[in-house]
């Protein structure tokens, strides 16, 4: 079960939301060293090193919503609120 689960409406359409999700993943790859790949309309990621090491999750994109599910390692669970706030901020930016 994910430590963080957020679903947001998607008014951009699946193709645009998917493009923006991939752009964000590329940015996170550069900043945090995440590894990611698409499985259909679900971007799966994990973080093998760095400050967020052990974090994994998915971003599912469809015509009407974007859903983010993240599993935090035990060491980062104390920061769950801050991480969740950052995700909300990124979704606000992503889904404009």
């Amino acid at each position: 079960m994910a430590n963080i689960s957020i679903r947001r409406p998607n008014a951009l359409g699946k193709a645009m939301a998917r493009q923006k999700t991939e752009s964000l993943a590329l940015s996170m790859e550069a900043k945090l060293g995440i590894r990611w790949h698409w499985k259909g309309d679900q971007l799966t990621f994990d973080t093998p090193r760095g400050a967020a090491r052990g974090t994994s999750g998915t971003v599912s994109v469809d015509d009407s919503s974007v859903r983010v599910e993240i599993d935090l390692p035990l060491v980062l669970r104390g920061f769950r609120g801050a991480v969740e706030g950052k995700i909300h901020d990124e979704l606000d930016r992503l889904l404009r």
Side-chain angles (χ1 to χ4, degrees):
M1 180 173 212
N3 302 109
I4 298 172
S5 182
I6 301 169
R7 181 181 293 257
R8 287 285 193 84
N10 170 21
L12 299 175
K14 183 167 46 173
M16 180 59 77
R18 190 179 155 104
Q19 180 182 2
K20 287 186 169 202
T21 298
E22 186 164 320
S23 178
L24 178 60
L26 287 167
S27 172
M28 301 288 287
E29 182 178 26
K31 288 179 189 174
L32 297 173
I34 72 165
R35 297 182 301 196
W36 60 274
H37 63 278
W38 285 103
K39 287 184 183 177
D41 291 325
Q42 185 177 72
L43 184 138
T44 301
F45 67 91
D46 66 18
T47 311
R49 64 186 189 283
R53 190 173 98 197
T55 302
S56 63
T58 60
V59 180
S60 302
V61 178
D62 64 34
D63 289 325
S64 62
S65 68
V66 173
R67 182 176 184 143
V68 178
E69 294 187 331
I70 297 178
D71 292 312
L72 296 172
L74 186 59
V75 70
L76 292 179
R77 289 186 186 164
F79 299 100
R80 180 179 178 259
V83 172
E84 199 165 1
K86 284 291 236 180
I87 294 166
H88 280 289
D89 290 347
E90 286 298 325
L91 285 172
D92 288 345
R93 195 175 58 76
L94 180 83
L95 296 172
R96 283 192 244 158

